[in-house]
Amino acid sequence: MADLSSQGIGRSVANAAAHAVQGVKGALGVGMTEKRQQLNQIAVQDNANTVLTTSSGVPITTVDDSLKAGERGPTLIEDFQFRDRMAHFDRERIPERVVHARGSAAHGYFQVYESLSDLTRAAPFQDPSKKTPVFVRLSTVQGSKGSADTVRDVRGFATKFYTDEGNWDLVGNNIPVFFIQDAVKFPDLVHALKPEPHNEIPQGQTAHDNFWDFVSLLPESTHMLMWIMSDRTIPRSFRMINGFGVHTFRFVNADGVSRFVKFHWRPVLGVHSFIWDEALKTAGRDPDYLRRDLWMSIEMGDFPEWELGIQVIEESEADKLPFDILDATKYIPEEIVPIRYIGKMTLNRNPDEFFPETEQAVFHPGHLIPGIDVSEDPLLQGRLFSYTDTAFHRVGTNFNELPINRPVCPVHNHQRGGFMRHTIVKGQANYHPNSLGGGCPALASASKGYVHYPAPVIGRKTSNRAGSFSDHFSQARMFYNSMTDTEKGHILGAFSFELSKVSTMGIRQRMVDLLNKVDHDLSVKLADNLGVKAPEKSEVESSTKVLGVAASPALSIIKSNKYDTIRGRMVGIYIMPGYDSTVSELMGALTAAGAVPLTLSAKGGPVPDASGSSTTTPSFTFSASSSTQFDALFIPGGRKSVDALLENVPALVQIAEGFKHLKAIAAVNEGVEVVQRLSLMVKTAEDNSVAVDYGVITAKGVGTGMNGKLGKAAGMAAGAVSG
Ligand code: HDE
């Protein structure tokens, strides 16, 4: 039953999809950035036409048997080839990231739409013809390196810009706010959300007592809790998530003028999420789902893209906002400061090898370049220490010299030594000032080098928190009020699921009481679901003024998405011997629209069509696939094919499950009988017509002609939030 393994499914998806769009990659070509050239020069190796050697270059004649004293005798320690292999193997692992351990990355480039020199002197934002190379790592937070992709969790969105003036890292998340206001609480937060220390359970989820115990005692986390219980934390694809810089940063222009700035990534494909049941099932059937989806889309030449947006706030305007701009639990609604989209990022190349690139990549919010500076946000300030500190521990002192982390611009300084130092610097002078090295490397002038923005700072040393950080509920309420009823239902469902796994009733009660300060109705329904006492209407809920705006439609996935494209979506096509010609018509139309048609059948061999003149080798068998892999399902006609399908329980179960997960389903000609048998709709097509009923499209005797309709329905269903 090897083909039932999740790996088996996954491999077939990748192969089948790559096959479906064969040739596209070649036609589009692969971007050759400065970073690519550098990696090729210093690191990338190709083993083709080479001879196996030890790590010191000695040719090896056998790898099957160690050197022994006689054929049946003990192994000799003088077998240096054995020692070379084994000793290196013994040290292959490095510590995984303490958070964001599981991630996938890709190379690409960023291009600004027009010069932003009035706002910043930062290199990537000057010249619209300049392509700045980037390396982007997308991650989950809670789980270990081997955990499942589709768990409910925040997604990390870390981008390294290899600019002409050094590396700039924008290390963000797919949620614009955070749990805590001060970095000093981060170890507690992470201890609470990770698997519990006594039994290391649960993996890849926060549905446990420790997490909810902690956050229920920490009102500042309330806003973030609303976001993580929304559909944002179960994305359909890494290609369909937002990215946010979270903190307030500074843009500084050549005249030294500073403005506050917030960064936003907007996916060109829109934001789309799974349905919870689908996410859970996918975690089991294909734990690599998001990683594979990212990899595959790039291999196919369907490059993921995001637009970078900025909210710019004059320093003099910041204090007029109804919340503190330094508080990372707050979001600046677009209604107050609109987002200006300034450029686009395209990911067009997968890494050649996971470990040296994705695993050894080090991102750090303190990797800044001239023109970009930090604010005094206490969460950001603490991060500035943590990321290099953890890099020294995880990767080593000279992590900046590793190929993936090296800037593409020259690096010259007096740093020397440390484990695994690569660079060999000529000359005698390793200090500044010097005359023996001609004074070099020389200091940069203020107009070229990094100058910290001279932000005025006054105050007495204190561990007190600013009073302006004290409102924890207004924006949580704004977020909830911005949702559609469907999304509110999903939030209630998510809280109910997570808290029902909490065994301590007091913690459940405390969470219900906390949420009562956000929305009374939500907390009453939650109390009912959890078997705890429904709270009285909270004074906070009824009295706290909504700061800023009451609701922001941009926060709702459903309200802000356009469901108008099938690009990058996977359509499962159910074929048995005798399927009709709608299959080839639809496959052609889907491929032309940028979607990925994938065929399924009972067995793996070629399946003949009704005319007997052509066959299709299915991408999957029914037993080695799942409806959760697809965004839409298609059931063609053909008397024999449909009769066989009506007898095939795994196929029928899949189609019914797809309906449950709100997939767009289309059936044509005799194929309509399948959806009728499953009672998936009330209204089906008459002869020579097309009918649409609750996401199910049926057509009889009209050829296909329904790619447009299927596309629209797939787009809506793939939002996975429409019902
Ligand atoms: Fe991180 N975070 N973080 N974080 N974070 C790490 O760095 C930390 C925070 C984020 O793909 C660690 O190299 C502190 C906010 C991403 O390699 C560590 C605080 C945001 C990644 C660390 C935060 C993030 C990390 C673990 C509280 C969104 C993955 C391994 C002040 C703006 C980067 C590592 C990658 C990783 C510390 C909070 C995003 C320990 C102390 C807020 C995307 O250094």
Side-chain angles (χ1 to χ4, degrees), residues 483-495:
M483 300 293 110
T484 60
D485 285 347
T486 301
E487 289 167 309
K488 285 183 177 172
H490 291 181
I491 291 173
L492 172 65
F495 273 117

Side-chain angles (χ1 to χ4, degrees), residues 96-104 136-141 154-159 170-187 189-190 244-247 249 328 358-359 361-365 377-391 394-395:
E96 65 174 35
R97 289 167 173 83
V98 60
V99 281
H100 297 264
R102 171 138 184 112
S104 308
V136 177
R137 183 170 180 272
L138 303 157
S139 50
T140 51
V141 177
V154 179
R155 298 301 184 285
F157 194 129
T159 307
L170 182 53
V171 196
N173 280 339
N174 75 330
I175 287 180
V177 292
F178 202 62
F179 294 99
I180 49 173
Q181 295 175 318
D182 189 312
V184 74
K185 293 208 69 60
F186 193 64
L189 169 71
V190 174
F244 300 97
V246 176
H247 312 279
F249 289 87
T358 310
E359 196 60 13
V362 169
F363 296 90
H364 172 37
D377 172 349
L379 195 72
L380 175 58
Q381 294 280 321
R383 291 179 76 200
L384 298 177
F385 166 74
S386 177
Y387 287 69
T388 29
D389 191 44
T390 203
R394 188 175 72 85
V395 188

Side-chain angles (χ1 to χ4, degrees), residues 236-475:
R236 154 68 181 81
S237 164
F238 278 136
R239 300 174 287 144
M240 299 169 195
I241 60 170
N242 282 121
F244 300 97
V246 176
H247 312 279
T248 301
F249 289 87
R250 281 191 162 89
F251 262 173
V252 185
N253 67 16
D255 298 328
V257 177
S258 157
R259 294 175 179 88
F260 289 124
V261 62
K262 291 262 190 185
F263 295 106
H264 301 249
W265 291 112
R266 173 170 76 176
V268 168
L269 295 179
V271 176
H272 301 280
S273 295
F274 279 121
I275 285 192
W276 179 228
D277 182 60
E278 199 183 354
L280 286 172
K281 286 179 172 154
T282 305
R285 291 201 74 119
D286 186 4
D288 305 305
Y289 190 85
L290 297 183
R291 173 176 290 191
R292 190 185 318 285
D293 173 272
L294 179 71
W295 176 277
M296 215 172 72
S297 66
I298 294 174
E299 287 300 297
M300 284 167 17
D302 183 13
F303 300 139
E305 293 171 327
W306 285 264
E307 286 191 291
L308 182 63
I310 51 171
Q311 285 174 299
V312 179
I313 306 105
E314 297 293 335
E315 296 236 356
S316 56
E317 296 293 306
D319 288 343
K320 297 181 192 155
L321 288 171
F323 44 82
D324 199 317
I325 200 162
L326 303 181
D327 174 359
T329 65
K330 301 296 184 294
Y331 175 77
I332 306 183
E334 292 179 35
E335 288 74 10
I336 300 183
V337 181
I339 301 177
R340 172 180 168 193
Y341 287 92
I342 58 166
K344 197 197 270 182
M345 177 167 75
T346 306
L347 299 184
N348 62 358
R349 192 171 69 79
N350 281 315
D352 288 312
E353 193 183 353
F354 188 89
F355 182 87
E357 298 184 74
T358 310
E359 196 60 13
Q360 287 194 317
V362 169
F363 296 90
H364 172 37
H367 284 159
L368 300 164
I369 52 172
I372 300 175
D373 208 332
V374 296
S375 69
E376 292 74 36
D377 172 349
L379 195 72
L380 175 58
Q381 294 280 321
R383 291 179 76 200
L384 298 177
F385 166 74
S386 177
Y387 287 69
T388 29
D389 191 44
T390 203
F392 290 140
H393 164 66
R394 188 175 72 85
V395 188
T397 314
N398 286 308
F399 69 85
N400 270 321
E401 287 189 300
L402 291 174
I404 194 64
N405 296 323
R406 270 194 204 190
V408 293
C409 61
V411 175
H412 297 286
N413 56 44
H414 296 302
Q415 289 179 13
R416 296 289 191 275
F419 284 113
M420 298 296 160
R421 172 76 178 171
H422 284 36
T423 311
I424 301 168
V425 185
K426 287 187 186 169
Q428 179 180 349
N430 58 354
Y431 49 86
H432 185 93
N434 69 68
S435 65
L436 295 177
C440 290
L443 295 180
S445 65
S447 65
K448 294 260 184 260
Y450 191 93
V451 179
H452 290 272
Y453 176 68
V457 179
I458 358 161
R460 281 177 299 157
K461 287 185 196 173
T462 172
S463 300
N464 292 348
R465 199 168 295 188
S468 51
F469 280 43
S470 63
D471 168 31
H472 305 313
F473 303 110
S474 298
Q475 285 214 339

